[in-house]
Amino acid sequence: MDFDQLTLTQAVADLRAGKVTSTALTTEALARAKANADLNAFVTLDEAGALKAAAAFDANDNKDKPLGGVPIVIKDNIEVTGLPCSAGTPALKHYVPRADAPVVAKLRAAGAVIIGKTSMHELAFGISGYNTAFKTGAEFGVRNAYDRTLIAGGSSSGTGVAIGARIVAGGLGTDTGGSVRVPAALNGCASLRPTVGRYPQAGIAPISHTRDTAGPMAATAADVELLDRVIAGGKAVQAADLKQMRIGIVRSMLTNLDADTDAAFQAAVAKMKAQGVTMVEIEMPQLAEFNGQVSFPVALYEAYDDLVAYLDHTGTGLSIEALARDISSADVKGTYDGLVIPRKLPAPDGALVDAKPIYDAAINSARPALQVLYSRTFADNRLDAIAFPTTPRVAIASNPDSSSLENFGLFIQNTDPGSNAGIPGIQIPIALGAVSKLPIGLELDGPAGSDRRLLALGMALEKVFGRLPAPPRS
């Protein structure tokens, strides 16, 4: 078996056919995780628990579960029974949940074997994955599967890297403004940010109840569809007929692109047109304006109350102030000490002002306006989706500077607006950069509730683009 080419769907088929055992797949995944410790992909590797679960599957005659015997990973802000759930921050490193988060319970009931908890940007507040709280390699920061000197993206860094590096073929992340799509794009895998509310959010360390959602990440869009079906229910999705698809391109989402990303995106558009997709150039006036009024005001204000409630749920007795005192990563520490804890937001002149009125305006006025802008854009242009480069640039150097506010804004430039509107978005790999040889991703955002149609579109397009080659062996 070529583990570098393995997908979740192939693994399920091979396990059912008796071509491979869960123990063999799980042993190989664990070996690869340990051999790639320099990636800093894992906070916890559960070798004993995973092998026990694999052996139990192999001993059972009932082999028809949707994910039966397949090794996967879970981001370390999603609760898994008996494993620490740190949310990437020191204060929670000894918190061990007594129950699975509902999304994890669905995967486990479907037969998945959880090999460990993946590292992340601390408290999910960033896009680089440069976390100084945890490491298994010599350097800090979750490292890119294709180049150890570069960022993995965030905040679901470790899950993206574990899939990109061919340790496992699937797992779970969470997404507030781009956190399953950015690391998937930078590590050459697929992911779905579902419509907000499609997945249960209990048992997940939060940022914002308005914006947060768990999301599946996997080797292919077909694998993402399998994970989504297990979590959300429904029948299997079939690949879309591309000749029936209308996809919009928003000019403002094509700014700040590096040469590799620009070339790869234009080539992808040409390939879509050649397959009969109708491509429509559109404008979304006020997109940046509305998004700016929603984005940070909602995340930074809700982070306080939502984290207080979560800490109460953990039973650790931790206060949010005590947790904040122990934050390790400088960028996240500054965010909590300067904005989240005092409940302030920066005004245009740089002064700090009370966050509540700005938050209220975001929730009551700007966010509904953003949602109307999206719904009208889809309806008026009869679009199935809007397409854009998931990130404007390929992965950058991994160091403290990679977590700058400038880089944060740059890398969520295209993923953030749809997040704030609560609509679904699927990321699929399209190419390795001509010069950089690094993964480049394409995102497709659709109307609220169109998750399955987006997955069908992603499944059709990945047949056009193909899967990226595995990273070079280090």
Side-chain angles (χ1 to χ4, degrees), residues 75 124 126-127 154-157 173-183 217:
K75 185 180 181 180
I127 56 84
S155 64
S156 307
S157 319
T174 63
D175 192 302
T176 302
S179 289
V180 300
R181 295 158 292 161
V182 171
M217 305 170 70

Side-chain angles (χ1 to χ4, degrees), residues 248-257 265 280-289 291 370 373-374 377 386-389 391-392 409-410 412-415 417:
I249 298 176
V250 185
R251 205 167 291 127
S252 63
M253 290 180 160
L254 305 182
T255 56
N256 299 317
L257 306 187
F265 182 74
V280 186
E281 286 204 9
I282 58 171
E283 300 286 352
M284 290 185 73
Q286 295 180 286
L287 179 64
E289 178 189 345
N291 188 61
L370 180 66
L373 174 60
Y374 269 106
T377 299
I386 293 167
F388 49 86
T391 62
L410 175 68
I412 64 164
Q413 167 189 300
N414 290 345
T415 58

Side-chain angles (χ1 to χ4, degrees), residues 175-247:
D175 192 302
T176 302
S179 289
V180 300
R181 295 158 292 161
V182 171
L186 299 187
N187 291 282
C189 51
S191 64
L192 169 71
R193 176 193 163 87
T195 301
V196 166
R198 180 174 171 83
Y199 292 2
Q201 274 301 106
I204 302 175
I207 290 179
S208 157
H209 61 268
T210 298
R211 296 179 49 180
D212 290 350
T213 178
M217 305 170 70
T220 66
D223 291 345
V224 171
E225 187 277 330
L226 171 58
L227 292 170
D228 177 75
R229 191 179 350 131
V230 165
I231 295 169
K235 294 180 180 177
V237 170
Q238 303 303 315
D241 178 358
L242 291 176
K243 293 181 175 63
Q244 303 295 319
M245 294 293 110
R246 284 176 63 87
I247 297 177

Side-chain angles (χ1 to χ4, degrees), residues 102-173:
V103 284
V104 172
K106 294 265 191 183
L107 298 177
R108 206 193 289 274
V113 175
I114 297 164
I115 70 161
K117 303 294 296 295
T118 52
S119 193
M120 54 186 281
H121 204 104
E122 191 163 355
L123 290 166
F125 248 108
I127 56 84
S128 70
Y130 192 84
N131 184 338
T132 57
F134 298 94
K135 67 183 176 76
T136 52
E139 306 285 338
F140 285 119
V142 185
R143 299 285 158 159
N144 192 283
Y146 284 75
D147 183 337
R148 263 52 171 190
T149 66
L150 306 180
I151 64 168
S155 64
S156 307
S157 319
T159 300
V161 169
I163 298 164
R166 309 309 203 254
I167 294 168
V168 292
L172 274 187

Side-chain angles (χ1 to χ4, degrees), residues 444-462:
L444 298 149
D445 281 3
S450 68
D451 305 59
R452 288 165 63 83
R453 191 166 70 208
L454 275 186
L455 287 162
L457 179 53
M459 289 164 67
L461 287 175
E462 75 180 1

